[in-house]
Amino acid sequence: MRANEKARDICATETASTFALKEKGVFTDVSRTMVRDLVANLDVPLRSINSTINVVAEALGDEVEGDVSKRNGTTHKNINHQCHHVTLTLPDGQTATQLAGIPHEVNHTSKTQLHGWKNQAAEMYSTYNDGMLTDHAEDQKKLVRLFAEWKRECKREVRGKKALARLPPADVVRLLSEMMENLHSSEVVCQLRMTLGEEQFTSLSSAEKEAVDFFVWAGCCMHKELNAAKGGNTRMRAWWEQNSVDGPVLLMNKDNVAVASGGSSAAKDQAVQVSTGGGQKTLDLAGSVFRHKDDKKGQHDSLQYYLEMELGFTSQWPDTNATCKYLFLEIILFKKESRTHTNIEQNVFRGFSCLRTEEEITCWASYNQCLTHPYL
């Protein structure tokens, strides 16, 4: 009997284990993934994270070392980071909680946290008071001008209000009496503030005046980004000729292919002259093949089956690398009875096979990741 009890104790000791949430005071990758999945995927409230982990560990015969803090602050390499959220009332009466930034702070005291909230609020007010974002319609352009004028009036009135508070009472009464002769009583105080504010503004330096009246109209980012991309592509395409380097392969349409293969010398030259190639043209044609706006055209469905079979998942163009598309075009060729590509498929195949075109596509990808996505 004693031998059996001793054996059970030994087994219990050998099988029992400890799950450490942290290693040297830092949450492990496994712990982070587990907490993230519990909160984001399984909707476990933050207040119930510790109890959930302990219940599961107990069922598995494990012990949990450490716990998950419920506060909204944390440290990274001894630097405090404080998470800010604000709860807003939406137009339909519902509420929504939004992230208001995660600034770093020197410590976690209440006074420092209050200072952090003030800085966040001031930054948000400054951002939304210094400009606006609209499209390029004429009514929106006029609206921007009206907003800029409204800001100017508000700044003058606030400045005048402060100046009015510093004046002796006798001067205030005198100024009010002078304005009462020409204005309605309800307009007098406002106009007095505007007058004093304008006087105060004129005493500022040029730099201070520019800072006070600073107002930015961002316009439509999409159109600016499109113009920048078009301009960049024009310069990139011109580089080949400027540096006497053979450029990307030409991608002719069906008509120009027919003329170039059997027409007169002048017609051939004209066909070549009007034809283009390069990364932008290849990507545009590839979009028509791999993700045509008409789902009855192109190779969209066939591509999805191919990606699922080869990679284990499907992906819409252009989120998968060009190598897969290149191999897929080879498969298409051998699945057809004619054993030929359509002209557009042939152009995409030739574009992906051209080293110069691949270089331009690489430039497009780099521009997209470094500028387009952050900007838009």
Side-chain angles (χ1 to χ4, degrees):
M1 180 69 69
R2 290 180 179 178
N4 290 337
E5 291 178 354
K6 185 176 181 180
R8 284 197 297 270
D9 292 340
I10 293 174
C11 290
T13 302
E14 291 178 348
T15 56
S17 62
T18 300
F19 177 75
L21 291 173
K22 301 178 181 179
E23 183 177 333
K24 296 181 179 180
V26 179
F27 279 99
T28 64
D29 291 339
V30 174
S31 300
R32 292 177 185 275
T33 302
M34 175 180 64
V35 173
R36 184 171 61 247
D37 289 343
L38 288 173
V39 175
N41 299 332
L42 302 178
D43 295 326
V44 176
L46 186 59
R47 63 178 180 275
S48 302
I49 290 295
N50 286 318
S51 57
T52 301
I53 295 174
N54 283 302
V55 167
V56 175
E58 184 178 355
L60 297 175
D62 294 337
E63 294 182 359
V64 178
E65 181 181 295
D67 59 15
V68 179
S69 173
K70 302 181 183 64
R71 64 187 178 92
N72 283 329
T74 187
T75 60
H76 177 64
K77 296 183 178 180
N78 297 320
I79 298 177
N80 286 281
H81 294 266
Q82 187 69 24
C83 183
H84 295 83
H85 291 83
V86 292
T87 300
L88 309 172
T89 301
L90 304 178
D92 59 1
Q94 301 295 317
T95 59
T97 300
Q98 303 290 341
L99 178 67
I102 310 177
H104 58 80
E105 300 176 341
V106 294
N107 55 50
H108 196 64
T109 64
S110 299
K111 182 177 290 187
T112 301
Q113 292 182 55
L114 175 61
H115 183 68
W117 271 110
K118 288 181 177 179
N119 286 341
Q120 289 299 104
E123 183 177 346
M124 287 188 288
Y125 290 144
S126 175
T127 299
Y128 288 102
N129 286 335
D130 286 342
M132 63 187 302
L133 173 65
T134 71
D135 59 29
H136 288 76
E138 290 302 319
D139 65 316
Q140 295 302 299
K141 292 180 181 179
K142 182 177 180 180
L143 178 62
V144 170
R145 293 193 294 270
L146 293 175
F147 261 99
E149 178 61 23
W150 182 28
K151 177 189 175 180
R152 191 192 71 80
E153 293 175 355
C154 291
K155 289 286 188 179
R156 301 297 187 276
E157 185 173 357
V158 170
R159 194 173 295 273
K161 182 179 180 180
K162 293 179 180 179
L164 186 62
R166 295 192 296 267
L167 288 177
D171 291 346
V172 174
V173 172
R174 177 179 57 79
L175 292 171
L176 289 175
S177 299
E178 293 175 356
M179 290 191 170
M180 286 284 287
E181 298 177 0
N182 301 317
L183 296 173
H184 191 273
S185 59
S186 62
E187 301 174 339
V188 170
V189 175
C190 179
Q191 185 58 46
L192 179 58
R193 290 172 178 172
M194 292 292 294
T195 301
L196 294 175
E198 192 65 41
E199 292 176 356
Q200 293 290 318
F201 179 79
T202 56
S203 65
L204 299 177
S205 66
S206 297
E208 290 173 326
K209 290 179 180 179
E210 290 180 3
V212 171
D213 286 342
F214 181 76
F215 193 84
V216 175
W217 174 47
C220 180
C221 296
M222 179 186 68
H223 290 95
K224 290 180 174 60
E225 163 60 16
L226 178 60
N227 291 336
K230 290 170 63 177
N233 185 58
T234 300
R235 294 291 296 274
M236 180 170 63
R237 298 285 297 134
W239 183 91
W240 304 105
E241 183 177 354
Q242 292 171 356
N243 292 272
S244 301
V245 178
D246 292 337
V249 62
L250 291 179
L251 306 176
M252 299 183 178
N253 60 31
K254 289 189 296 183
D255 295 335
N256 286 333
V257 168
V259 172
S261 61
S264 64
S265 177
K268 291 180 181 180
D269 292 340
Q270 178 65 17
V272 172
Q273 190 69 26
V274 299
S275 298
T276 60
Q280 185 271 332
K281 181 69 175 290
T282 300
L283 293 174
D284 184 41
L285 296 176
S288 298
V289 173
F290 300 129
R291 197 174 182 180
H292 200 282
K293 61 182 179 181
D294 185 349
D295 58 9
K296 294 181 174 60
K297 298 180 179 179
Q299 299 291 343
H300 176 269
D301 291 338
S302 299
L303 175 63
Q304 302 311 304
Y305 299 144
Y306 170 75
L307 293 176
E308 186 171 17
M309 179 181 65
E310 293 295 324
L311 304 180
F313 62 88
T314 62
S315 176
Q316 300 285 356
W317 168 264
D319 297 333
T320 308
N321 62 61
T323 302
C324 291
K325 309 298 194 295
Y326 180 87
L327 297 175
F328 175 66
L329 286 171
E330 288 185 326
I331 293 176
I332 291 177
L333 181 67
F334 293 106
K335 287 183 64 176
K336 294 182 178 181
E337 292 184 4
S338 61
R339 295 293 190 271
T340 58
H341 285 132
T342 63
N343 188 72
I344 189 173
E345 292 170 351
Q346 178 63 28
N347 276 335
V348 174
F349 188 84
R350 295 178 68 217
F352 285 153
S353 305
C354 173
L355 179 60
R356 300 288 188 267
T357 302
E358 288 185 353
E359 291 174 354
E360 288 197 3
I361 292 176
T362 301
C363 291
W364 275 106
S366 300
Y367 179 88
N368 186 59
Q369 293 299 317
C370 297
L371 295 177
T372 301
H373 283 183
Y375 178 62
L376 296 179

